[in-house]
Amino acid sequence: MRLFISGILLLSAQCANAANSCDIHAIVQHAWPEAKPAAEGTMITPGNQVIDITGNSPQSAICRVWPAHPELTLAAVPLMSQEKIDYGHNGDLELLVLNSVTQEVNQRLHLPERMSDDAIRITGIALDTARWKVAPSQTAFGLHITRSGSSRVNPIGEDALSLYVIENNQLRRVLEGIALTANSGEWDGNCAGEFNDIKRILAIDASSHKGYADIRVNEKSVASTAFIDSSGECTAKDTPARASWVLRYDGTQYAVPKELAPLE
């Protein structure tokens, strides 16, 4: 009995230590045991895709212990093509759920082309471990992908969120994607132009459909028009607005209206 209790205490201590950090190098080694080291901080998979573990680029693999389930660690691993293209990148993304102590992979989900971009570049990915309590016995986690355009006179950018759950021992996407922030504009590079800035907040609602809670979306936006006034000064007129939606689960995923969909 004493040995049993000691074993439980040891496992609890290991989980507590694991909850403080994650080792992306160890995670990649467990998930791709046949991957070979390449340039410093990168590995090549048997499928000839590059995994960057340096943490120095938007295409770097990331991990995070899941606070709702500290015995589990989440990882998002870009799998990038070695082929160079002029205006962007080609790549997939793999999401992993791992044992926080052993780093063994419990679930994984392959997302083809999720890391591909062009003139509107992916500027970052992040795991969202807010308590997305989408069902009484189901907590989702999120993935943020931020994008930004390179044009000075036509600025554009967004932060898009998707949500995932573990169901029947499989990792599954329940929210395809929603733009939490979106900004765009067109101006002459000096003053005159029009700009739009949108910020959205998501909240789990008390109502539900088909076993999953509704998600309420509250939006604040500002449309700005900049111009040269009668005094020769650059000035702007702002028009704020508010809107709201309720996302309902259709039995497979949350339906997202077109106006809330991300650029991808």
Side-chain angles (χ1 to χ4, degrees):
M1 183 67 172
R2 185 174 298 171
L3 286 174
F4 176 75
I5 294 173
S6 297
I8 293 295
L9 291 174
L10 177 60
L11 181 60
S12 298
Q14 289 176 320
C15 285
N17 289 333
N20 293 326
S21 62
C22 61
D23 184 345
I24 192 61
H25 184 265
I27 287 171
V28 170
Q29 285 185 318
H30 274 88
W32 288 271
E34 297 179 1
K36 299 184 181 302
E40 185 177 356
T42 64
M43 303 183 77
I44 304 295
T45 72
N48 290 318
Q49 290 178 301
V50 179
I51 299 177
D52 182 336
I53 54 176
T54 64
N56 296 327
S57 81
Q59 290 77 36
S60 292
I62 58 172
C63 62
R64 188 171 185 176
V65 174
W66 195 356
H69 300 284
E71 73 278 8
L72 301 176
T73 292
L74 308 172
V77 182
L79 301 167
M80 306 305 298
S81 170
Q82 297 187 64
E83 180 185 359
K84 302 295 183 182
I85 58 177
D86 291 337
Y87 299 105
H89 307 85
N90 287 327
D92 305 334
L93 184 69
E94 193 132 334
L95 293 180
L96 308 173
V97 180
L98 309 101
N99 182 298
S100 293
V101 175
T102 67
Q103 304 296 298
E104 294 298 324
V105 178
N106 293 342
Q107 292 87 22
R108 64 199 305 166
L109 180 64
H110 190 79
L111 303 171
E113 298 295 320
R114 185 45 64 99
M115 293 301 295
S116 296
D117 60 16
D118 47 29
I120 303 175
R121 297 290 186 92
I122 292 175
T123 55
I125 60 174
L127 291 160
D128 187 327
T129 56
R131 288 189 177 271
W132 296 102
K133 196 72 172 175
V134 292
S137 59
Q138 187 66 270
T139 302
F141 70 87
L143 176 73
H144 291 265
I145 297 181
T146 55
R147 295 174 183 264
S148 181
S150 57
S151 172
R152 179 172 175 266
V153 294
N154 294 104
I156 189 169
E158 72 168 19
D159 172 12
L161 173 71
S162 50
L163 294 178
Y164 302 82
V165 298
I166 301 171
E167 188 175 271
N168 298 323
N169 202 33
Q170 300 290 320
L171 192 55
R172 188 171 71 84
R173 183 165 53 201
V174 292
L175 179 65
E176 177 73 22
I178 182 171
L180 294 184
T181 64
N183 57 77
S184 61
E186 183 176 1
W187 67 310
D188 61 5
N190 181 35
C191 173
E194 296 183 348
F195 305 88
N196 287 283
D197 185 74
I198 297 171
K199 292 180 174 60
R200 300 182 179 115
I201 295 176
L202 274 57
I204 301 297
D205 205 64
S207 58
S208 64
H209 285 80
K210 300 191 176 180
Y212 274 65
D214 296 344
I215 298 177
R216 184 167 296 278
V217 182
N218 291 317
E219 175 186 288
K220 291 182 180 180
S221 64
V222 177
S224 299
T225 301
F227 55 93
I228 302 294
D229 65 16
S230 58
S231 301
E233 300 290 330
C234 184
T235 188
K237 178 182 179 181
D238 292 344
T239 304
R242 293 175 181 263
S244 64
W245 295 262
V246 175
L247 309 183
R248 295 183 173 89
Y249 188 70
D250 64 9
T252 302
Q253 62 181 355
Y254 286 95
V256 177
K258 278 187 177 181
E259 59 266 35
L260 305 182
L263 295 169
E264 58 185 301

